[in-house]
Amino acid sequence: MSITEFPLPRPNSGPHDIMTGPDGRLWFCEFNGDRIGRIDPNSGAIEEFPLPHRNSGPRIMTLGPDGNIWFTENLGNRIGRISPDGKTIAEFNIPTRDSRPRGIKVGSDGNIWFAESNSNRIGRITPTGQITEFALPHPQSNPRGIAAGPDGNMWFVEGHGNRVGRITMQGAITEFDLPNPNSAPADITAGPDGNMWFTELAGNRIGRIALDGRIEEFRLPKPGSQPILIKVGPDQNLWFGELREGRIGRITLAGAITEFNIPSADSQPRGIAAGPDGNIWFSDQRGNRIGRLVLK
């Protein structure tokens, strides 16, 4: 396996989430640069699209049911939408002030769901921009990552609450406590095994929760690795970035963990995605690069 990185055109852009777009390119958020970017997996050519407002802080993105790319504006308190050609950007204000939206994913109801990390709510926005918010049962839970489950519900993690939550399309919420205190779960995704997989930023573990709430945890080899965003790779394993150690991690459905060092000494991998070329792509926040890990 080999890793190649592509520097972003502007310094200190702070790339966060990354995903494969409908055009066969990798799209990413530039948190510090207030831009949405995309990179051609074949040529490495990068394009950037500036957002209308400064200090928007685009954080996490998802492909919407309308074919557009939707993203959270963590600092701007908005949900954004950009067309696949990059020419049209729309923004929708979240009713609750300073909600700090983070994770965002499409639900089984055809709407886009997002986590409000600062206001203790789960939000839902229709493709036409109508927003509804659902308050969590416990104060200061800090909902972060969110994902659609195979049961038709949305699953999310509570960074401060140390819980995994589930919300139905009607807004009914159930929560499951993590076995270890202060694990600070950061992100969650649906695995190919029918379970939900999540990262524990402070707990230094990868977790798996069954749809009935049963939880298993797998410890990373080195303490303090800080696993962050997690997604399913083209090999049907779970892949994640390690913020502190500058590594890309992989965990099999049986719990076996392998880590891959990024050559650049200043790397801080954050976002991760399965690329259209069958490789793993990642965003390097501190290194200000987009990286590619070739699986073959």
Side-chain angles (χ1 to χ4, degrees):
M1 296 186 183
S2 63
I3 292 177
T4 305
E5 291 189 288
F6 305 89
L8 296 187
R10 296 171 178 82
N12 195 35
S13 292
H16 272 52
D17 194 23
I18 186 169
M19 58 163 271
T20 295
D23 57 351
R25 298 171 187 172
L26 281 301
W27 288 71
F28 53 92
C29 292
E30 297 183 31
F31 184 82
N32 298 336
D34 292 319
R35 293 179 291 266
I36 300 297
R38 68 179 176 187
I39 182 170
D40 188 311
N42 299 311
S43 67
I46 293 173
E47 296 177 89
E48 297 173 303
F49 308 98
L51 299 185
H53 300 91
R54 295 184 62 184
N55 299 318
S56 291
R59 191 76 181 264
I60 308 292
M61 51 182 27
T62 191
L63 181 62
D66 55 357
N68 293 309
I69 295 161
W70 291 73
F71 54 93
T72 52
E73 295 186 22
N74 187 254
L75 303 180
N77 205 52
R78 291 177 291 263
I79 301 299
R81 181 184 68 201
I82 184 170
S83 60
D85 60 7
K87 295 180 179 179
T88 305
I89 296 175
E91 296 174 305
F92 307 92
N93 292 318
I94 297 173
T96 302
R97 295 181 60 184
D98 194 31
S99 68
R100 295 296 179 99
R102 190 183 178 278
I104 185 169
K105 286 294 180 290
V106 176
S108 60
D109 59 351
N111 295 312
I112 301 100
W113 291 72
F114 56 94
E116 300 180 23
S117 62
N118 202 43
S119 65
N120 215 52
R121 294 175 173 86
I122 299 299
R124 180 184 65 201
I125 182 169
T126 68
T128 56
Q130 296 174 307
I131 294 177
T132 306
E133 296 171 296
F134 304 92
L136 297 187
H138 300 91
Q140 299 179 343
S141 291
N142 183 233
R144 294 168 60 88
I146 191 168
D151 56 354
N153 299 313
M154 302 302 294
W155 289 73
F156 57 92
V157 290
E158 301 177 20
H160 294 166
N162 212 56
R163 292 178 289 263
V164 174
R166 179 184 65 207
I167 183 169
T168 68
M169 297 299 97
Q170 295 74 38
I173 295 171
T174 306
E175 296 172 306
F176 306 93
D177 293 323
L178 295 188
N180 295 287
N182 304 316
S183 291
D187 193 43
I188 189 166
T189 194
D193 57 351
N195 298 308
M196 305 300 294
W197 290 73
F198 57 95
T199 55
E200 298 181 24
L201 188 66
N204 208 53
R205 292 177 287 262
I206 303 299
R208 175 174 62 196
I209 183 168
L211 300 184
D212 61 4
R214 289 175 294 126
I215 295 174
E216 294 178 90
E217 295 174 302
F218 307 92
R219 186 178 295 277
L220 297 188
K222 187 172 182 179
S225 296
Q226 296 185 339
I228 185 72
L229 294 179
I230 184 168
K231 292 179 185 175
V232 178
D235 57 355
Q236 296 303 291
N237 293 311
L238 284 301
W239 290 77
F240 53 93
E242 297 181 24
L243 276 181
R244 183 176 176 180
E245 294 300 323
R247 289 189 294 255
I248 301 298
R250 179 187 67 197
I251 183 169
T252 67
L253 299 183
I257 295 174
T258 307
E259 296 170 304
F260 304 90
N261 291 317
I262 298 172
S264 304
D266 60 344
S267 293
Q268 190 180 47
R270 182 173 284 272
I272 198 148
D277 56 353
N279 297 312
I280 295 295
W281 287 75
F282 61 93
S283 59
D284 184 345
Q285 180 184 359
R286 187 166 55 213
N288 208 53
R289 297 174 287 257
I290 300 299
R292 179 184 63 206
L293 189 156
V294 177
L295 293 183
K296 297 178 181 178

